[in-house]
Amino acid sequence: MTRAPRPETEPVRRGRATPRPLPPPRPASRTLRRPGPPRTPKALDRLRRAWDRPLTAYYVVLGTGLLITFLGLVMVFSASQIQALRYDLPATHYFQKQLFAAALGTVLLLIASRVPVRLLRALTYPFLACTVVLLVLVQVPGIGVRVNGSTNWIAVGGSFQIQPSEFAKLALLLWGGDLLARKGDRHLLTQWRHLLVPLIPGALLVCGLVMVGGDMGTVMIIVAVVFALLWLAGAPTRLFTGVLGTVAVLGALFIVTSAHRMERLACLGATDPGPNDDCWQAVHGIYALASGGWFGSGLGASVEKWGELPEPHTDFIFAITGEELGLMGTLSVLGLFAALGYAGIRVAGRTDDPFVRYAAGGVTAWLMTQTVINIGAVLGLLPIAGVPLPLFSYGGSALLPTMFAIGLLIAFARSDPAARAAMAARGPRLRRKTTGRRRNRAPSGER
């Protein structure tokens, strides 16, 4: 029998099977995907989440306040030794006094961080009254002490002196915060009469008493605090315009009528001390900063503190910091102050209590304004106003109320409802972890 021929379409099988050809590739789709939102880097995302935590402001205020105080003690120790030897005093004279003030200020910080808001508001009026009495006593002959052309000191005993104008900043902002909070509860802040009276007359009284002693720098800080309180209270813009114009006219009048202030104003941007050495302090402050370089000449190796730069441990301690620690040291100090200011703004913005908002905002405005005035004078951008750097410069009268204000910021940051809930949830968790470790510990075999 003959076999039927195979169809032509049927492949001939010889040995292995012939592999089937692969299907042709599909043409790429012409539709483009829409780009999604840009992804945030992981480091920035973690930083943002860490900053949004309820207790972040509490830790930032506490940490920056203590770090600035500690760095200030180190720089006071370095900058004041030659100054003390010039007056036949022990080399650590100023440092010991500053250390004592820091210890006392730490106690005040702890007290302020625990004081109830109701008790604090009840003490605002007696505190302001005592401050006004002290400002009046400063001008009484035999009681007030004149230092560097200003009569703003009272001798306590021995070498200790107090400056009531430093306490006036804290007293005025607490009194103003309580006053505006009470009027806000009665819905009276929409009227100009209740918004300005008696806040502005009280501020003018304090500023007048301070100005009699010749301390215009403190007056500028008090004005900034009052402006901050009015802004937080929702004062209209035209009010700020009018008040700012009035303040500018009065400030110009006080400057023009004082030869000492005119000399300081003429030293803005000066690079030469002048024929009569009128700009000696301003120019040598720039010399100290310029000679520091990136990392400074080393702690204790300043040249300007050997009699060239007046007030190296008080008003111009930032210049000595730049000379000994360099640009990196000054930027670190600026970063700490910036973090403190931002944390203060956060505390004022996240609270529902009007008094806490006004007090936290006033403290932040006080510290940041004083920092700008001091550093601006050292850099030659602002006239020398004789204002110390908060928590950093030598001076117990400035350190004590400032540390009390830092304690208030700590208390306000902890009083936030979210922060209270976080601290309440953290406490039992820590106790459970500690108990668990004790239970899981293997027996040692000892009896």
Side-chain angles (χ1 to χ4, degrees):
M1 295 178 61
T2 60
R3 293 182 179 180
R6 296 176 180 270
E8 296 181 0
T9 57
E10 184 178 356
V12 181
R13 297 180 180 178
R14 295 178 181 178
R16 298 180 179 178
T18 306
R20 295 181 180 180
L22 296 175
R26 296 181 179 178
S29 177
R30 296 183 179 179
T31 58
L32 299 177
R33 296 181 179 179
R34 295 181 178 178
R39 296 183 177 180
T40 307
K42 292 184 178 180
L44 293 179
D45 187 50
R46 291 178 181 176
L47 183 62
R48 184 181 301 171
R49 284 184 295 176
W51 182 252
D52 288 337
R53 292 176 181 174
L55 291 175
T56 299
Y58 167 76
Y59 289 124
V60 170
V61 173
L62 178 62
T64 54
L66 294 180
L67 276 175
I68 294 173
T69 305
F70 175 76
L71 289 176
L73 286 172
V74 173
M75 292 310 304
V76 166
F77 176 74
S78 175
S80 64
Q81 296 182 27
I82 307 304
Q83 190 80 0
L85 294 176
R86 290 178 60 190
Y87 293 104
D88 296 329
L89 297 172
T92 59
H93 173 74
Y94 294 108
F95 171 73
Q96 291 177 359
K97 293 180 64 176
Q98 187 74 356
L99 183 62
F100 175 75
L104 185 58
T106 303
V107 176
L108 293 178
L109 185 147
L110 295 175
I111 294 175
S113 64
R114 295 292 180 179
V115 63
V117 175
R118 182 176 300 178
L119 177 61
L120 181 64
R121 296 182 65 175
L123 295 176
T124 55
Y125 284 83
F127 187 23
L128 181 64
C130 293
T131 304
V132 170
V133 171
L134 290 177
L135 289 174
V136 173
L137 291 178
V138 167
Q139 306 306 324
V140 176
I143 298 179
V145 178
R146 190 175 184 86
V147 178
N148 294 332
S150 300
T151 310
N152 284 315
W153 301 82
I154 295 178
V156 178
S159 61
F160 290 93
Q161 300 173 350
I162 62 171
Q163 189 175 2
S165 58
E166 294 291 339
F167 295 90
K169 306 171 189 175
L170 180 62
L172 183 64
L173 74 88
L174 291 178
W175 171 75
D178 177 70
L179 178 68
L180 294 176
R182 293 178 186 275
K183 291 193 174 186
D185 294 338
R186 301 177 182 178
H187 306 284
L188 298 176
L189 294 181
T190 55
Q191 306 176 23
W192 283 43
R193 178 171 58 89
H194 290 283
L195 187 64
L196 300 179
V197 180
L199 177 62
I200 299 301
L204 289 177
L205 174 62
V206 174
C207 289
L209 292 175
V210 174
M211 200 63 197
V212 169
D215 191 359
M216 189 173 180
T218 301
V219 172
M220 295 168 60
I221 299 171
I222 293 175
V223 170
V225 170
V226 174
F227 269 61
L229 292 176
L230 291 176
W231 183 78
L232 291 171
T237 308
R238 59 184 180 275
L239 174 63
F240 285 101
T241 304
V243 175
L244 185 61
T246 305
V247 170
V249 171
L250 292 177
L253 181 62
F254 285 126
I255 292 175
V256 171
T257 55
S258 174
H260 181 62
R261 298 191 184 101
M262 287 297 296
E263 292 176 359
R264 291 186 172 185
L265 185 63
C267 292
L268 286 178
T271 57
D272 186 83
N276 299 324
D277 292 335
D278 294 333
C279 302
W280 180 273
Q281 187 175 15
V283 171
H284 278 271
I286 298 296
Y287 289 169
L289 290 172
S291 61
W294 285 94
F295 300 100
S297 58
L299 191 63
S302 170
V303 176
E304 291 293 333
K305 68 182 180 183
W306 287 77
E308 298 294 334
L309 180 64
E311 307 298 334
H313 58 301
T314 54
D315 300 345
F316 273 70
I317 194 172
F318 189 76
I320 303 299
T321 303
E323 185 181 6
E324 295 187 351
L325 303 183
L327 180 63
M328 294 297 102
T330 55
L331 289 180
S332 300
V333 175
L334 290 177
L336 289 174
F337 276 109
L340 178 61
Y342 195 80
I345 294 174
R346 171 172 169 165
V347 172
R350 291 200 171 190
T351 182
D352 296 329
D353 190 339
F355 172 76
V356 173
R357 185 187 310 114
Y358 298 142
V363 169
T364 305
W366 160 25
L367 298 180
M368 294 303 103
T369 303
Q370 187 164 331
T371 301
V372 170
I373 292 176
N374 177 272
I375 296 179
V378 174
L379 295 176
L381 303 176
L382 294 175
I384 300 174
V387 173
L389 190 60
L391 300 173
F392 205 83
S393 296
Y394 169 79
S397 295
L399 185 62
L400 294 181
T402 307
M403 294 195 73
F404 188 86
I406 296 296
L408 292 180
L409 284 181
I410 293 173
F412 297 155
R414 194 171 49 197
S415 65
D416 182 69
R420 286 201 304 264
M423 296 186 72
R426 186 185 59 176
R429 188 186 309 167
L430 290 177
R431 286 195 295 269
R432 285 198 298 268
K433 287 183 179 180
T434 306
T435 307
R437 284 196 298 267
R438 291 177 180 176
R439 292 177 180 176
N440 296 332
R441 187 178 299 173
S444 61
E446 298 179 1
R447 294 184 180 177

